[in-house]
Amino acid sequence: MKVFISHQKRDRVEAKKIADYLISVGIAVYFDEFDKELQQADINNDPKAVVAAIKKGIKSSTQMLCIVSPNTLTSKWVPFEVGYGYDVTDLATLTLQGIKNSDLPDYIKTKPII
């Protein structure tokens, strides 16, 4: 089992806490901060390499946890990650404070919401 953590950058602190917790209970995690390839691609402002790193992370994962907050609703990357991983991972959504289920995008509502 390996969980891909999909989140909006402004929710990084909350997402890292979740990633750290999963790791502490023995669950492998793909988290963008831990991916040196992705970090280098971002530093180099190389969108092709960013996409390749994200796709590689999703392909190596069995589950995806999409962390949704009001910030997520304007994210450019979360919809890409969820769309790419939708049929290749088991997707679940964790909503943070400040988001109602009625605010969630329809593609998220089709999977379990925590």
Side-chain angles (χ1 to χ4, degrees):
M1 174 190 280
K2 185 175 185 180
V3 179
F4 183 98
I5 306 291
S6 177
H7 66 286
Q8 208 282 337
K9 280 185 179 185
R10 287 176 283 179
D11 298 322
R12 181 174 308 280
V13 171
E14 294 86 353
K16 184 158 185 330
K17 287 179 187 177
I18 292 164
D20 289 343
Y21 171 77
L22 292 173
I23 292 167
S24 77
V25 296
I27 298 173
V29 168
Y30 174 90
F31 186 60
D32 60 354
E33 283 188 8
F34 305 155
D35 185 341
K36 293 182 191 312
E37 226 177 281
L38 176 61
Q39 298 304 315
Q40 191 60 52
D42 195 37
I43 289 167
N44 294 340
N45 196 26
D46 183 348
K48 286 184 181 183
V50 169
V51 167
I54 290 170
K55 288 169 73 174
K56 183 178 175 182
I58 292 170
K59 286 179 186 175
S60 72
S61 301
T62 54
Q63 278 80 22
M64 180 180 292
L65 181 60
C66 181
I67 300 170
V68 179
S69 75
N71 296 324
T72 312
L73 302 179
T74 60
S75 174
K76 295 177 183 177
W77 284 106
V78 170
F80 169 77
E81 293 168 352
V82 171
Y84 189 81
Y86 198 86
D87 290 327
V88 297
T89 63
D90 289 327
L91 173 66
T93 299
L94 175 68
T95 57
L96 299 179
Q97 271 187 310
I99 193 86
K100 296 180 267 184
N101 285 358
S102 62
D103 294 333
L104 295 172
D106 287 340
Y107 64 89
I108 291 288
K109 293 178 183 176
T110 64
K111 299 293 184 172
I113 300 170
I114 303 168

